[in-house]
Amino acid sequence: MSSTVTERPAPAAGGRGPVAPRRRTRVFALPEVRWAAASLALFLVALPLQLAGVPAWLSGPLYAAAYITGGWEPAWSGLRALRDRTLDVDLLMIVAAVGAAAIGQVMDGALLIVIFATSGALEALATARTADSVRGLLDLAPTTATRLLDDGGEEAVPTDGLAVGDVILVRPGERVGADGRVLDGAGEVDQATITGEPLPVAKEAGDEVFAGTLNGTGALRVKVERDAADSVIARIVAMVEEASGTKAPTQLFIEKVEQRYSIGIVLATLAVFAVPLGFGADLTGSLLRAMTFMIVASPCAVVLATMPPLLSAIANAGRHGVLVKSAVVMERLGRIDAVALDKTGTLTEGTPRVITIRPLEGSALTEDALLATAAAAEHPSEHPLARALVRAARERGLELPAAEDFRSTPGTGVTATVRGRTIAVGAPARLLRTSEGSEPGQVPSLTRDMEEDGRTAVLVLRDGVPVGVLAIADRLRPDAAPTVTALRTLTGAAPTLLTGDNPRAAVRLAAEVGIADVRAGLLPQDKVTAVREMAATGQKVLVVGDGVNDAPALAAAHTGIAMGQAGSDLALETADAVIVRDELATVPAVVALSRAARRLVVQNLVIAGVFISGLVIWDLAGHLPLPLGVLGHEGSTVVVGLNGLRLLRDAAWRRAAAPSPSGAP
């Protein structure tokens, strides 16, 4: 096996790996958004004119335009549904709006139109953005690769033209063009996009590599083992699309009775109009009674019974750093009874840090001196471990001497001259093989203890003699353990840890936060399988993650939450909610807030039902004056609206952030 020695590695090796280019559908490129915006603008112009008492001939056309621009699409959709013998609440809203206008309540009808048009626009935008992110994921894999020819030459070919058995060359700083296995060479590949591992993984002959991952140092000759359409990246895309397309969204309560309610109101309105006519009532009186019935029985209060609590909870959560993408998602969050957490970037910060500094006996070095020496040698490197050492030295305020003759050997480490001494920093096993016959002493036991504890051990040699060992690991988030405890309280069961990282690191971290169910070494499809296994037992699973490798699981779960700061574009778009400030403790808080919103929804539905029932009985059994009917209808709407707005208060979030043992905020 040959090993390629390079000078300072390409900067592209740094960070948490390649990021899918952002493909963004412009908001106003969607017709639903344009129609909804036009309807809202017309309504906002017409309303103040009406309140100012201007003649109806001036405000009326504006309201009519608002009806047309915001209502034609749901009306057309409802008519097409009728053709399939289905009656939905959107069409009922249009009928109610037109009915309101027919008896002079033009503003009420226009408001209904605007609400439903805006809701449809938001749904269309969310769908488009998810499709954008899925298409952008394909750009993680390079479009061309360097194929090696039998005569020793090279040629650049499209990656979709590679065949199984081809051999490609992956230079330092390049992305791997296809799934395959290393034939020759050594390097360190950042494959966080696939496995979620926080640190680059050393690759040598016989190791598997994945398309779209980033080669840091060293050249690799890779034999292609999968077609482009069967690569892990392509399968992630397919899984996200499949899960997003087949997962039926949980409907709001009112939508579950939509058909019966809609049909019932239409039939009842026709009966209220036709029956009096059959007994000789006059046409105008019958029409007025029917229109009054349509107004008082229309589901305005029922719709507002559902939306204000959920929208208030969304707004409150947004102020505290959690973006919930829709009212359906907010309602769904309160139903979860199982949680699956990613490790790297979710329970941990996703950034390697120096955890332990151990100078060896006889080295005459202090912890600061050892760290400064190692950081000085690593300073020219762009490797994540090197940056961790330099960051730790700077946090301690240490002065780093200049390094000369810097050299990097992939899979082994770096060598540099610091203050006239040759300093080597890297993997203990490989550095000890190259040290000039020096006794390893306590190094093997130290490094074994560190690695068994899930940490990465780094050995420091001075003139070929071991002088110290440092342990580097991804640091646990401060709020990880309290979050796990809170989620256990809310759901009645401890969360599950799903990670692509190695089992030792996963088990160590799980023990720190109180998780017993640990599933490690998972590829994206394995995470999806685990989530579906949990769902098959009847559980409604919440998945919390941050990477491209988490996106299929986020899509397959009952509800998905992405960490915002370190999250990949695909995870952010696929997830149902995003934690903007990466405060993990907001996860149980938003779940508790959702449960509070669902309780308010039930309260509001009861209030709306009492009002509607009372007004309908009055209209049918007696004579309900139209002004009183409108007043009662609007009054119920105001009552349920104000009740739902209670969740806007900061006190609601504080109660949610400190749930009681029963899980109630």
Side-chain angles (χ1 to χ4, degrees):
M1 178 192 73
S2 66
S3 172
T4 304
V5 178
T6 66
E7 298 302 320
R8 178 176 178 139
R16 280 181 52 78
V19 178
R22 297 182 71 86
R23 294 172 179 247
R24 288 283 183 171
T25 297
R26 290 180 293 114
V27 173
F28 284 97
L30 299 172
E32 295 90 345
V33 174
R34 294 196 298 270
W35 289 118
S39 181
L40 176 60
L42 290 165
F43 178 82
L44 293 178
V45 172
L47 180 61
L49 291 177
Q50 179 189 10
L51 296 177
V54 301
W57 62 264
L58 186 58
S59 61
L62 293 172
Y63 277 130
Y67 273 72
I68 295 171
T69 54
W72 78 267
E73 198 166 39
W76 179 248
S77 176
L79 291 174
R80 285 186 298 178
L82 277 180
R83 188 175 57 188
D84 298 328
R85 298 182 181 181
T86 301
L87 182 63
D88 59 30
V89 78
D90 284 3
L91 184 59
L92 184 59
M93 288 296 95
I94 300 300
V95 173
V98 173
I103 59 172
Q105 304 301 317
V106 179
M107 187 273 288
D108 288 350
L111 181 58
L112 279 178
I113 293 290
V114 169
I115 290 175
F116 274 81
T118 302
S119 175
L122 292 175
E123 182 179 351
L125 181 61
T127 301
R129 289 291 169 82
T130 300
D132 290 342
S133 64
V134 172
R135 288 195 303 269
L137 176 59
L138 291 172
D139 292 332
L140 279 174
T143 56
T144 61
T146 302
R147 181 164 60 190
L148 299 179
L149 304 177
D150 294 338
D151 60 5
E154 302 176 1
E155 65 174 351
V157 297
T159 51
D160 57 8
L162 292 172
V164 175
D166 284 348
V167 178
I168 60 175
L169 175 65
V170 184
R171 295 184 172 87
E174 290 183 348
R175 283 180 287 168
V176 179
D179 287 6
R181 198 164 299 276
V182 178
L183 293 179
D184 188 25
E188 292 174 324
V189 177
D190 186 342
Q191 52 188 36
T193 52
I194 302 297
T195 66
E197 292 170 287
L199 299 174
V201 178
K203 298 290 185 180
E204 55 186 23
D207 291 335
E208 186 177 19
V209 292
F210 304 105
T213 56
L214 191 65
N215 184 29
T217 58
L220 302 174
R221 291 175 61 244
V222 176
K223 183 178 181 180
V224 177
E225 293 188 339
R226 296 189 190 97
D227 291 331
D230 296 326
S231 69
V232 173
I233 281 286
R235 281 184 286 170
I236 290 177
V237 173
M239 284 187 292
V240 171
E241 290 178 332
E242 178 187 1
S244 299
T246 59
K247 183 181 67 175
T250 302
Q251 294 177 312
L252 300 177
F253 178 82
I254 185 57
E255 292 175 341
K256 295 180 179 179
V257 296
E258 174 183 325
Q259 280 293 298
R260 295 176 183 176
Y261 189 90
S262 302
I263 295 172
I265 292 298
V266 170
L267 294 177
T269 301
L270 293 175
V272 169
F273 174 66
V275 170
L277 283 178
F279 286 92
D282 66 285
L283 178 63
T284 301
S286 297
L287 180 60
L288 182 60
R289 182 186 290 268
M291 285 299 96
T292 303
F293 177 84
M294 174 69 81
I295 293 298
V296 299
S298 69
C300 299
V302 177
V303 171
L304 286 179
T306 302
M307 297 305 290
L310 297 174
L311 295 178
S312 297
I314 289 173
N316 201 340
R319 289 203 310 270
H320 293 87
V322 183
L323 299 182
V324 180
K325 294 186 177 180
S326 71
V328 174
V329 172
M330 178 56 77
E331 188 262 354
R332 218 162 48 202
L333 276 168
R335 297 177 179 270
I336 63 106
D337 53 18
V339 181
L341 298 166
D342 175 46
K343 172 183 171 288
T344 304
T346 302
L347 287 175
T348 69
E349 295 176 347
T351 303
R353 294 181 178 272
V354 176
I355 305 299
T356 306
I357 305 172
R358 292 290 302 274
L360 299 180
E361 296 178 4
S363 66
L365 292 175
T366 63
E367 288 188 5
D368 284 353
L370 175 61
L371 178 59
T373 299
E378 289 276 19
H379 188 265
S381 174
E382 295 287 344
H383 194 284
L385 291 181
R387 290 199 300 275
L389 292 170
V390 173
R391 185 187 307 111
R394 287 174 174 166
E395 288 174 352
R396 293 192 177 206
L398 304 180
E399 181 179 352
L400 302 185
E404 301 174 350
D405 302 324
F406 173 82
R407 291 171 60 83
S408 172
T409 305
T412 299
V414 304
T415 304
T417 302
V418 179
R419 289 175 175 165
R421 311 291 290 270
T422 300
I423 305 298
V425 184
R430 297 192 179 187
L431 283 183
L432 286 176
R433 288 203 302 264
T434 62
S435 60
E436 300 172 357
S438 61
E439 290 296 327
Q442 57 187 313
V443 172
S445 61
L446 269 178
T447 57
R448 184 171 56 252
D449 291 344
M450 291 177 178
E451 290 171 353
E452 287 179 353
D453 204 24
R455 293 172 167 85
T456 298
V458 176
L459 176 63
V460 181
L461 302 181
R462 183 176 58 191
D463 294 332
V465 178
V467 293
V469 181
L470 303 97
I472 297 178
D474 192 3
R475 190 165 65 181
L476 191 69
R477 292 183 187 275
D479 54 356
T483 296
V484 170
T485 300
L487 290 172
R488 184 190 296 112
T489 300
L490 283 168
T491 63
T496 298
L497 181 63
L498 304 179
T499 178
D501 208 350
N502 69 78
R504 289 183 303 186
V507 170
R508 176 188 63 81
L509 181 134
E512 290 185 39
V513 299
I515 295 178
D517 187 2
V518 180
R519 308 183 193 187
L522 304 181
L523 288 174
Q525 60 265 33
D526 301 323
K527 291 188 177 185
V528 172
T529 300
V531 170
R532 287 177 175 166
E533 287 175 354
M534 297 170 69
T537 64
Q539 295 177 304
K540 294 180 173 61
V541 185
L542 167 66
V543 172
V544 185
D546 74 306
V548 168
N549 59 313
D550 298 316
L554 290 170
H558 179 266
T559 313
I561 297 180
M563 306 298 290
Q565 291 186 358
S568 69
D569 281 353
L570 184 64
L572 299 184
E573 298 293 354
T574 304
D576 300 299
V578 177
I579 302 175
V580 178
R581 295 193 289 264
D582 275 11
E583 295 173 357
L584 194 60
T586 57
V587 173
V590 76
V591 171
L593 189 66
S594 170
R595 294 185 177 184
R598 292 181 65 235
R599 286 194 295 274
L600 281 187
V601 168
V602 174
Q603 291 177 18
N604 282 349
L605 288 172
V606 171
I607 294 171
V610 169
F611 269 87
I612 291 174
S613 299
L615 293 171
V616 166
I617 292 172
W618 188 352
D619 185 52
L620 295 179
H623 174 68
L624 175 62
L626 179 59
L628 284 181
V630 173
L631 180 62
H633 176 263
E634 296 300 329
S636 66
T637 301
V638 170
V639 169
V640 298
L642 291 177
N643 190 41
L645 294 179
R646 289 164 49 197
L647 290 183
L648 281 174
R649 298 177 298 177
D650 284 339
W653 180 263
R654 290 195 296 270
R655 288 194 298 271
S660 67
S662 65

